[in-house]
Every structure is written in C-alpha cells, then in structure tokens.
Amino acid sequence: VTIIAPKYRASDLRVGLAMDWGNSSPGCVGWGAALPDGHVSVFDEYKFQRLTAKLLAEAVKDKCADWKLKRVPPCACDPSLLPANQNDVGEWIGLTLIRHGLPVFRVSNDRVNGWQRVHEALAIDPGTGTPWLTIHPRCRYLIRTLPLMVQARLNAEDLDTDSDDHGAAMLRYMLMG
C-alpha cells in the first residue's frame, strides 16, 4: 500500500474492499485505501466470472495475503447479496462469502447518490490540486471501462446498466461504503 501513498504509514490507511457480484456477467472486487486527508486510492482489482462464492472468497483472501494484510478487510457490496431480514430462508451469496472468510456488508444501492459520490471523488481537491480519487495503473479493468460509462436514456442522473458497468459499480459501492 505504501507504493500508492508514500507519505503515509500503513497504519494511517483504512483499507477496504468493494464488490459488484457477477456470475454470467463479470464481477469485480476492488481494494481501496482511505487516506487521512480524505483522498481515496483504488490500488488493486480482481475481475471474475463464473466463480462460486466460495472460490471468490478464497481468491480474495489470497490477494489480501499477497498484500500482506493482517486480515481480510470488510467488503462493501450490493444489498441484494444479503437477506433483508432474519426470516429469509436459504443461504444468500453474501452469507456464503462470509462463511468462507470474506466479510461482506451491504451499502446503499441508491444509484443517483452513488454516482454523485463517484462524480465528487473524480473532482480536484483545491487544497492539493490532485483528484480526490486515484486509481492505480494495475486496475486495468476499471481504467478501461470507467470512461465508457454513459448516462441512462431515461434518467440523466443514472448510468446505462446495459454497458460493462461492473468496475464502475464496484467503485460506487466502495465510495458509498
């Protein structure tokens, strides 16, 4: 993590994960660090498709070990991955992820507020002249797909969900989390 934020000690950073689930379509997990000055840095990603929740949890744990993280950080995700109430029967995808060591938690899926958070993060911090959000070059999927996002035809405050929006949705969950 010190590669992306050399002026901070590792203990200064709050590292977290975010995920947009996908099976038939791609999914994406992102690793991000909240810096003490309010900036956010996305420093790694894992694009996946056709993985079971168990295999995804194992892959994320392996990548966390590669980063020498002492634990798997909490992972912000779409609320549909977890049951809305205690009476829902069956094991939801999020519960399977938790059971296999990936601690997911739900964040708001309010798309308008989420995209506004992304828009604000892309702005320049007037105090430093740097963007509030930085994305490491190793995050090729996010870097390739984020500029391709277009407005939804019927709601200019939302994005077109027919596009390859999984990296962007992961970023939205990260910033909402």
Side-chain angles (χ1 to χ4, degrees):
V1 177
T2 55
I3 294 169
I4 52 101
K7 67 181 184 177
Y8 299 109
R9 296 185 318 267
S11 61
D12 293 334
L13 307 177
R14 284 190 0 245
V15 174
L17 303 174
M19 174 185 53
D20 185 44
W21 174 260
N23 186 33
S24 296
S25 326
C28 185
V29 177
W31 281 253
L35 309 178
D37 60 6
H39 289 81
V40 173
S41 180
V42 180
F43 63 89
D44 208 349
E45 69 179 12
Y46 179 67
K47 180 184 172 194
F48 63 94
Q49 192 168 2
R50 300 195 194 301
L51 282 183
T52 64
K54 177 182 186 247
L55 291 175
L56 176 63
E58 290 171 358
V60 170
K61 289 188 301 186
D62 288 346
K63 203 169 246 270
C64 287
D66 291 345
W67 278 104
K68 299 187 179 13
L69 298 175
K70 293 179 181 168
R71 62 177 177 74
V72 177
C75 182
C77 70
D78 182 329
S80 69
L81 293 184
L82 292 163
N85 64 60
Q86 301 280 349
N87 297 327
D88 288 334
V89 177
E91 183 163 298
W92 293 56
I93 294 166
L95 298 176
T96 305
L97 291 166
I98 291 168
R99 186 164 52 85
H100 290 287
L102 177 53
V104 296
F105 67 96
R106 68 169 38 118
V107 294
S108 173
N109 199 18
D110 182 308
R111 295 174 61 85
V112 171
N113 282 299
W115 295 130
Q116 183 61 36
R117 291 281 301 136
V118 172
H119 181 74
E120 290 172 3
L122 293 170
I124 300 296
D125 173 1
T128 64
T130 61
W132 287 101
L133 172 70
T134 55
I135 301 170
H136 194 280
R138 82 174 58 82
C139 302
R140 289 180 283 194
Y141 177 63
L142 180 58
I143 291 168
R144 178 179 60 80
T145 58
L146 190 59
L148 302 176
M149 298 297 97
V150 295
Q151 290 175 319
R153 205 168 45 85
L154 299 177
N155 181 358
E157 301 300 319
D158 197 0
L159 293 184
D160 176 15
T161 59
D162 291 331
S163 61
D164 189 358
D165 68 342
H166 309 289
M170 174 277 296
L171 179 60
R172 176 170 55 94
Y173 293 136
M174 182 177 289
L175 295 173
M176 290 298 283

